[in-house]
Amino acid sequence: MSAAELLAETSRRRLEVFFATARRLPADRLDVSPGGRARSPLNLVQEVAALSEFYAEIAETKSLEFGPDAMPKMAARMASLATIDEAEAACRAWSERLLAAAATLTEDDLRIPVSFPWDPVPYTLGAMLHNHVWNLGYHEGQLSYAIDLAGPA
């Protein structure tokens, strides 16, 4: 199995689990902040979707550009996804874009160093793209906790 095949298999599986988990939350609790201070489940779903496009751009350009406009662009991307259905459709499309670009990368490409401005240790491009899978699993855990806090539907 190639690195791209592994990324595709694990990404698609995590997408299924992530959105199945998101849909377990009662609709009236999607935009409620657990404990009044945490991010809402809808915000988590929006972030996961928006980061899917971010990772697709990294795969397509073989670089990580994170300038002063990165966070406003991310916020706008997230705000454009008002529902779980919209976020899921966008996330799946951007994930497929990521996977298509990843399938064209060579082993040398996967070793290209990329990093965030605040990160003292660079990632390889391959490891950075795998963050897509990690991010889906991490936020699935946060959604599961929000479901527990919401109580029975």
Side-chain angles (χ1 to χ4, degrees):
M1 177 179 285
S2 71
E5 291 168 333
L6 180 60
L7 179 65
E9 181 179 321
T10 55
S11 291
R12 289 180 179 128
R13 182 181 190 297
R14 292 274 30 111
L15 280 165
E16 294 305 320
V17 174
F18 178 80
F19 284 104
T21 301
R23 291 183 189 293
R24 288 181 34 226
L25 195 69
D28 65 335
R29 305 291 299 170
L30 283 175
D31 209 18
V32 174
S33 169
R37 296 185 316 266
R39 294 168 51 200
S40 74
L42 180 59
N43 182 263
L44 298 173
V45 171
Q46 291 166 323
E47 179 187 307
V48 165
L51 280 173
S52 298
E53 184 182 34
F54 179 69
Y55 292 125
E57 291 169 355
I58 293 169
E60 292 165 347
T61 63
K62 301 178 192 175
S63 66
L64 191 162
E65 301 298 325
F66 200 89
D69 65 328
M71 292 309 289
K73 183 178 177 184
M74 178 71 71
R77 224 183 257 145
M78 289 170 63
S80 74
L81 306 170
T83 66
I84 288 182
D85 288 340
E86 290 175 9
E88 181 175 9
C91 188
R92 288 182 183 280
W94 291 329
S95 294
E96 289 303 318
R97 201 174 115 199
L98 160 63
L99 300 176
T104 70
L105 299 174
T106 66
E107 287 190 28
D108 287 339
D109 291 335
L110 295 174
R111 291 186 188 95
I112 294 170
V114 295
S115 62
F116 292 105
W118 59 83
D119 220 342
V121 179
Y123 288 84
T124 61
L125 179 61
M128 177 62 73
L129 298 181
H130 189 267
N131 278 340
H132 175 57
V133 174
W134 176 88
N135 195 51
L136 285 160
Y138 175 77
H139 285 88
E140 175 199 337
Q142 291 182 320
L143 287 174
S144 293
Y145 185 58
I147 291 165
D148 287 346
L149 290 175

